[in-house]
Amino acid sequence: MTSLLNLTQTTEASLIADFFQQSVGRWKSERRYYTLPDGETKEVVSAITIRFLEQHSPELRQLADLHGIDEAQLSCGAEVLWDSHDSATGKPQSEGSTLFGASGNTLYRDRGFATTKPISAEFHFPNPTTLCLRTEYKGSVFEEELKLVGQNYRTRQTIISRAGEQVMIGQYLEKRV
């Protein structure tokens, strides 16, 4: 008899694999960050490239090593490359890459939003096209929602909190290029 936990993990593994595969390609991400409580805004444009990672890929082996887990635990993953610039000035903001690997309802990453250290997030799908993440580290909580909108758009929203207070909201519109 299949347990509810095993069924849930199988469903989550299938949903995250589908979400990653549907996200493969190049995207233009228009981002707006609101610093709270004063509401100061910053606008950034990013070029993003997403690649799907099959189970046992060298990148997922590397990610498993970083987290000290068995690579077989990671069912699939994604590599995300980005290059960001300030929308108003064109000044470079950041450039880099991130590895993601899924195991059950945990998403392992080689780095976080505000750290270069390996982190993990809990994830769930309220529906097949919406991925919700919750990550905690360095006294901060990152709640993120990524939603596929048809084949050519994604929306994202990130809320960052510290000590129970929201300190930043990031909103993104990503267009496939």
Side-chain angles (χ1 to χ4, degrees):
M1 185 162 107
T2 304
S3 75
L4 182 57
L5 178 60
N6 287 343
L7 182 59
T8 300
Q9 288 176 341
T10 300
T11 301
E12 294 295 322
S14 174
L15 288 171
I16 194 73
D18 288 347
F19 192 90
F20 284 155
Q21 288 171 334
Q22 290 179 54
S23 296
V24 166
R26 292 178 35 234
W27 299 83
K28 177 183 179 185
S29 179
E30 298 171 344
R31 303 166 178 225
R32 178 176 282 172
Y33 296 99
Y34 301 91
T35 303
L36 304 174
D38 62 10
E40 180 182 323
T41 62
K42 180 175 187 141
E43 294 186 13
V44 175
V45 174
S46 300
I48 297 173
T49 303
I50 301 173
R51 187 169 62 94
F52 183 74
L53 301 174
E54 298 279 349
Q55 188 174 36
H56 304 297
S57 68
E59 295 87 352
L60 290 182
R61 278 197 286 279
Q62 173 190 353
L63 187 59
D65 287 345
L66 283 173
H67 285 275
I69 61 173
D70 181 355
E71 72 171 270
Q73 287 182 247
L74 300 177
S75 60
C76 68
E79 176 187 52
V80 177
L81 305 154
W82 76 89
D83 183 10
S84 301
H85 294 82
D86 184 286
S87 294
T89 66
K91 181 180 174 184
Q93 294 294 299
S94 67
E95 181 179 0
S97 66
T98 303
L99 296 176
F100 296 86
S103 175
N105 69 337
T106 301
L107 193 61
Y108 292 94
R109 297 175 62 175
D110 65 340
R111 60 173 294 141
F113 181 77
T115 182
T116 57
K117 294 185 178 176
I119 60 142
S120 61
E122 297 301 311
F123 73 89
H124 71 278
F125 285 87
N127 63 64
T129 61
T130 305
L131 169 62
C132 295
L133 301 165
R134 181 181 172 87
T135 311
E136 296 184 42
Y137 60 88
K138 287 186 165 181
S140 294
V141 176
F142 302 80
E143 295 173 293
E144 189 166 14
E145 178 186 274
L146 295 90
K147 185 174 189 69
L148 295 166
V149 182
Q151 297 295 312
N152 295 314
Y153 299 95
R154 294 181 355 153
T155 60
R156 292 173 53 192
Q157 179 164 281
T158 304
I159 300 172
I160 304 170
S161 304
R162 273 190 208 100
E165 296 286 327
Q166 293 79 22
V167 295
M168 183 177 284
I169 297 171
Q171 294 182 315
Y172 320 72
L173 174 61
E174 298 177 344
K175 303 172 194 171
R176 192 178 295 278
V177 293

